[in-house]
């Protein structure tokens, strides 16, 4: 394949199962992923994992801290994972963020030279005072002075149609997923896991559950077209992924 995709494990998170998939009980322990996309024209990271401060304290999560148990270490930070592959974090060309929640945007601090690719709608929503005060968003994760390109719809990253960002709103106002060679869709949090899609079980919280339900339908249609869905928080799928997907 002209484009290679590598999943990178950047920690783990445990939360109430019913907060992830309505109707479930108990807790869910889930991976916190990043994905390295290597294209002949450059490198892209889709989602960035956790901020380094979370190794020692969850204060930056504000009121949401009590909702999560975080497993994070120096070895699981994105620059370390890239270093294991012989890739310098400073050399990553693009950082495409599915959305700006802490477990997807927090590791952006480790990619100093990446150009941030995010939806304009996500950028706008991430500064809403009430959401920032509560801890849904923390601009200290993503408003770091990077060169950035704020998008309004689909975006062809490398100009050849092989790596495309597709809006998949609902979970957040400007959520996006990454379609690679029309064979793999990195779902992000458009749908947390296979169980949620199979049960048609939306999470209880989101920017727009109506739009997320439409996104669920779009995901099913892509899968029917032969596209492989790779979820961000599906432990069973994560444990079965090969070094390249």
């Amino acid at each position: 394949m002209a484009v290679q995709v590598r999943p990178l494990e950047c920690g783990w998170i445990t939360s109430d199962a019913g907060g992830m998939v309505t109707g479930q009980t108990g807790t869910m322990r889930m991976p916190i992923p990043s994905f390295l996309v290597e294209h002949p024209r450059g490198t892209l990271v889709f989602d960035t994992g956790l901020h380094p401060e979370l190794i020692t304290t969850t204060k930056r999560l504000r009121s949401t801290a009590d909702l999560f148990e975080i497993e994070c270490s120096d070895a699981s930070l994105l620059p370390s994972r890239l270093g294991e592959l012989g890739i310098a974090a400073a050399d990553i060309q693009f950082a495409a963020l599915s959305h700006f929640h802490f477990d997807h945007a927090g590791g952006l601090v480790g990619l100093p030279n990446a150009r941030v690719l995010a939806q304009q709608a996500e950028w706008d929503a991430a500064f809403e005072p009430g959401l920032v005060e509560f801890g849904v968003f923390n601009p200290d994760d993503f408003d770091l002075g990077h060169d950035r390109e704020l998008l309004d719809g689909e975006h062809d990253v490398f100009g050849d149609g092989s790596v495309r960002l597709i809006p998949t709103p609902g979970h957040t106002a400007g959520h996006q997923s990454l379609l690679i060679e029309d064979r793999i869709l990195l779902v992000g949090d458009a749908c947390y896991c296979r169980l949620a899609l199979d049960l048609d079980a939306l999470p209880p919280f989101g920017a727009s559950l109506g739009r997320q339900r439409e996104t669920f339908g779009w995901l099913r249609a892509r899968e029917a077209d032969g596209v492989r869905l790779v979820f961000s928080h599906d432990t069973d799928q994560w444990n079965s992924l090969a070094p390249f997907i």
Side-chain angles (χ1 to χ4, degrees):
M1 296 290 182
V3 180
Q4 294 185 325
V5 184
R6 305 199 216 195
L8 306 176
E9 180 259 291
C10 294
W12 291 80
I13 186 170
T14 300
S15 186
D16 175 63
M20 306 298 292
V21 182
T22 297
Q24 299 302 296
T25 60
T27 60
M28 292 178 67
R29 180 176 181 265
M30 303 158 285
I32 297 175
S34 177
F35 297 88
L36 173 65
V37 179
E38 298 171 285
H39 185 281
R41 298 180 186 174
T43 52
L44 175 148
V45 164
F46 181 71
D47 287 341
T48 63
L50 297 170
H51 193 280
E53 285 184 8
L54 291 172
I55 296 174
T56 57
T57 177
T58 58
K59 288 182 178 179
R60 68 185 298 107
L61 302 186
R62 301 188 173 97
S63 297
T64 66
D66 292 340
L67 302 176
F68 307 107
E69 179 183 335
I70 306 294
E71 300 171 48
C72 182
S73 67
D74 287 326
S76 68
L77 296 176
L78 181 55
S80 296
R81 293 302 188 204
L82 293 170
E84 291 171 358
L85 304 175
I87 297 172
D91 292 338
I92 296 297
Q93 184 176 355
F94 296 106
L97 300 177
S98 62
H99 62 303
F100 289 146
H101 286 168
F102 75 94
D103 54 326
H104 297 260
L108 183 60
V109 66
L111 302 178
N113 300 318
R115 187 178 199 189
V116 173
L117 304 177
Q119 293 292 321
Q120 180 74 59
E122 186 72 5
W123 183 266
D124 294 342
F127 291 91
E128 199 281 316
L131 297 178
V132 172
E133 181 179 0
F134 189 74
V136 175
F137 297 110
N138 184 347
D140 289 344
D141 282 341
F142 49 84
D143 189 12
L144 304 176
H146 288 79
D147 180 31
R148 63 178 177 265
E149 186 171 358
L150 298 180
L151 312 173
D152 183 18
E154 294 191 18
H155 178 68
D156 182 354
V157 178
F158 295 105
D160 62 357
S162 64
V163 179
R164 291 184 288 143
L165 287 161
I166 313 289
T168 47
H171 177 66
T172 61
H175 190 283
Q176 60 184 355
S177 302
L178 189 68
L179 183 62
I180 300 161
E181 294 180 327
D182 291 318
R183 63 184 179 92
I184 294 171
L185 184 73
L186 303 182
V187 174
D189 282 2
C191 177
Y192 285 130
C193 58
R194 165 58 59 186
L195 179 64
L197 196 63
D198 287 348
L199 296 179
D200 195 32
L202 297 174
F205 306 107
S208 171
L209 297 182
R211 296 187 76 186
Q212 191 164 19
R213 186 169 297 283
E214 293 174 359
T215 290
F216 270 35
W218 183 83
L219 293 173
R220 292 190 187 93
R222 298 292 71 71
E223 190 167 46
D225 291 338
V227 175
R228 182 184 183 187
L229 305 183
V230 178
F231 302 94
S232 283
H233 298 305
D234 190 312
T235 301
D236 290 340
Q237 183 188 57
W238 184 259
N239 288 335
S240 70
L241 292 179
F244 293 92
I245 57 177

